[in-house]
Amino acid sequence: MKDRLRETVFNLIGGEIEGAHAIDLFAGTGALGLEALSRGAARATLIEQHFPTADVIRQNVLALGVQSQTEIVPGNVFIWIKRPSRFGEGKLARFFVRRRTIFYVSRLSEMLELLGGLIEAAPEKSIFLVEADERFDYALLPDPKTWDVRSYPPAVIGVYRK
């Protein structure tokens, strides 16, 4: 996610990140989760299946000195979601689902199941930010009329508040 789009994402949720548990799915370098910490999130879980990239997240976490607030999960998001303790102790969760926009095409049913399961299981007042591109139809998501969908070509961002 480019810096400008990341700034836009955080402008959309404003102060709602304060004290929350940021969960960054398909985390890449962990920039969104780490930015959430810098904006007041209590903790962040960063899930990345590409092990060398998960190592980059570890380096970034160490450089920022936020090890005690960060859980790095080098693994598959589709498996992680099945963990019973996936949300931890936090009452507020902010989910960032992004980057692997090809999954919205090649693994559409799995992505819809993933998002539906997360939305159903997440604590009340959780916020979901989903980044895709124009190939993804946000009308397929649960409760589609309540999503705030905005286009920032080539990205399309959807925000859902539970």
Side-chain angles (χ1 to χ4, degrees):
M1 181 178 284
K2 299 204 184 286
D3 290 344
R4 193 167 210 174
L5 184 56
R6 189 169 55 245
E7 182 71 27
T8 299
V9 162
F10 282 100
N11 287 340
L12 290 172
I13 61 172
E16 295 175 275
I17 198 72
E18 188 74 32
H21 178 192
I23 301 172
D24 192 352
L25 308 175
F26 312 106
T29 62
L32 270 178
L34 296 172
E35 176 104 7
L37 288 174
S38 77
R39 291 176 180 254
R43 59 201 189 96
T45 300
L46 308 149
I47 304 132
E48 175 55 50
Q49 74 177 11
H50 185 251
F51 286 22
T53 305
D55 287 339
V56 170
I57 296 172
R58 278 189 200 84
Q59 293 167 12
N60 291 340
V61 166
L62 285 170
L64 295 171
V66 292
Q67 303 91 307
S68 65
Q69 297 169 269
T70 310
E71 176 187 12
I72 301 165
V73 180
N76 186 311
V77 169
F78 297 102
I79 295 171
W80 174 85
I81 187 62
K82 296 175 182 169
R83 285 180 33 195
S85 63
R86 64 191 172 273
F87 303 131
E89 303 298 319
K91 293 183 180 176
L92 301 173
R94 305 297 178 250
F95 296 88
F96 304 105
V97 185
R98 61 192 181 90
R99 198 176 133 258
R100 301 277 168 81
T101 56
I102 192 65
F103 283 2
Y104 291 106
V105 176
S106 66
R107 298 177 79 173
L108 178 61
S109 63
E110 288 175 276
M111 286 301 290
L112 293 174
E113 183 180 336
L114 172 82
L115 289 165
L118 280 171
I119 289 169
E120 184 178 317
E124 288 297 318
K125 299 189 178 180
S126 291
I127 296 175
F128 291 81
L129 290 115
V130 173
E131 177 191 4
D133 62 21
E134 69 282 345
R135 294 174 290 178
F136 180 63
D137 181 2
Y138 280 83
L140 298 172
L141 291 173
D143 206 10
K145 293 183 181 185
T146 61
W147 285 80
D148 178 7
V149 179
R150 300 175 187 213
S151 181
Y152 304 96
V156 178
I157 301 291
V159 180
Y160 176 82
R161 289 173 170 82
K162 182 173 178 179

